[in-house]
Amino acid sequence: MEKGKLAQKIEKYQQVLQLNPDNVSVLSQLAEIYESTEQFDQAESYQRRIVRLQPDDAKARARLAKLILKSGNIERAIATYIKALALPQPPAEIYQELADVLESNGQGESAIAAYKQAIKLKPYNLNFYLKLTLLYLKSGQLFKKIYRKLNKLSTKLKLLQDGKIYLDIWKELNQKDLKSLEERSFSFPSKLNPNTVRQYFAQTSKFKIV
């Protein structure tokens, strides 16, 4: 959006707030505008007003955490995510967001714990299991239990035909710097056509296929 039109839009929203300073919809629009223009401090100030108006809204507080993170304050963002998760019935996705931030901050163990909480809320979310498996691998921990669960869910949800969930794991593994895990073995379930995986990774993988 052109700067002139954007300024007009902001002015219009500001006029609405003069009449109704607690208009959450307008506050949210202003937060989005300032976020889109990378004015994260301004965006954060509007989102903080929303949080004050909706103190029990976990999503609103999680959005505030995202804006704080974009401002570069990772510790304060983590603290804000934790506050969001302390509210009643937080969505599983907030645990996922926190886990990803914790991982980027070198807090692998805490990230694993957060993904476990996400899985408790959404036990059939394969992406959560994928990420948890990768975290286990990156930390060098055994992950047989979670891998068996991944296999079980994949079979139940009929995702074994092309082995996509396993290909995703392999693709991400080969983008990671996992020098200490170069000889890590990875087994595939018997129902998966091994050629699907072997052909794809024969030349690129630094891991053994068992």
Side-chain angles (χ1 to χ4, degrees):
M1 188 181 294
E2 296 178 7
K3 287 185 178 180
K5 290 183 179 180
L6 196 60
Q8 289 177 2
K9 200 169 186 178
I10 290 172
E11 184 179 356
K12 182 180 177 181
Y13 285 138
Q14 293 288 6
Q15 290 173 355
V16 174
L17 286 181
Q18 286 178 4
L19 298 173
N20 182 8
D22 294 342
N23 189 317
V24 171
S25 177
V26 171
L27 290 170
S28 181
Q29 289 292 331
L30 284 166
E32 286 183 13
I33 288 172
Y34 284 115
E35 181 183 6
S36 69
T37 56
E38 298 186 355
Q39 298 178 70
F40 300 123
D41 288 342
Q42 284 278 58
E44 181 185 333
S45 70
Y46 284 106
Q47 188 62 30
R48 198 172 288 282
R49 286 172 65 177
I50 295 172
V51 168
R52 283 198 293 268
L53 292 167
Q54 300 178 335
D56 293 328
D57 189 331
K59 289 183 179 179
R61 201 172 289 271
R63 189 180 175 200
L64 175 61
K66 284 183 182 179
L67 292 169
I68 293 170
L69 183 64
K70 288 184 175 182
S71 296
N73 195 325
I74 192 167
E75 296 297 337
R76 194 156 61 90
I78 290 171
T80 305
Y81 272 121
I82 291 171
K83 287 180 180 178
L85 291 169
L87 295 171
Q89 300 180 327
E93 287 74 16
I94 298 179
Y95 280 104
Q96 179 187 25
E97 290 175 18
L98 173 60
D100 292 341
V101 175
L102 289 168
E103 181 189 8
S104 69
N105 199 39
Q107 297 172 249
E109 293 291 334
S110 297
I112 287 171
Y115 261 111
K116 285 181 177 179
Q117 290 299 318
I119 286 170
K120 284 182 181 179
L121 294 175
K122 284 195 173 180
Y124 293 104
N125 188 308
L126 282 171
N127 185 56
F128 291 170
Y129 284 94
L130 168 62
K131 289 291 293 186
L132 184 55
T133 300
L134 291 169
L135 283 170
Y136 273 125
L137 279 168
K138 192 169 184 178
S139 67
Q141 296 183 44
L142 295 175
F143 68 108
K144 288 183 179 179
K145 184 176 179 181
I146 199 71
Y147 173 66
R148 285 196 297 269
K149 182 71 173 179
L150 182 64
N151 282 345
K152 185 177 179 181
L153 283 174
S154 295
T155 304
K156 187 172 182 177
L157 299 179
K158 299 179 181 179
L159 295 178
L160 284 174
Q161 292 179 357
D162 60 0
K164 183 179 184 305
I165 193 71
Y166 303 97
L167 292 177
D168 286 346
I169 290 175
W170 275 89
K171 286 176 184 176
E172 292 204 34
L173 283 177
N174 282 280
Q175 292 173 6
K176 304 285 185 182
D177 182 18
L178 298 174
K179 295 178 182 178
S180 62
L181 299 173
E182 287 181 357
E183 298 302 314
R184 175 74 71 189
S185 296
F186 199 86
S187 300
F188 290 85
S190 58
K191 291 184 180 179
L192 177 65
N193 180 355
N195 292 327
T196 303
V197 177
R198 292 182 187 280
Q199 290 176 6
Y200 191 90
F201 293 107
Q203 303 300 321
T204 61
S205 179
K206 43 186 178 178
F207 299 89
K208 291 180 180 178
I209 297 179
V210 178

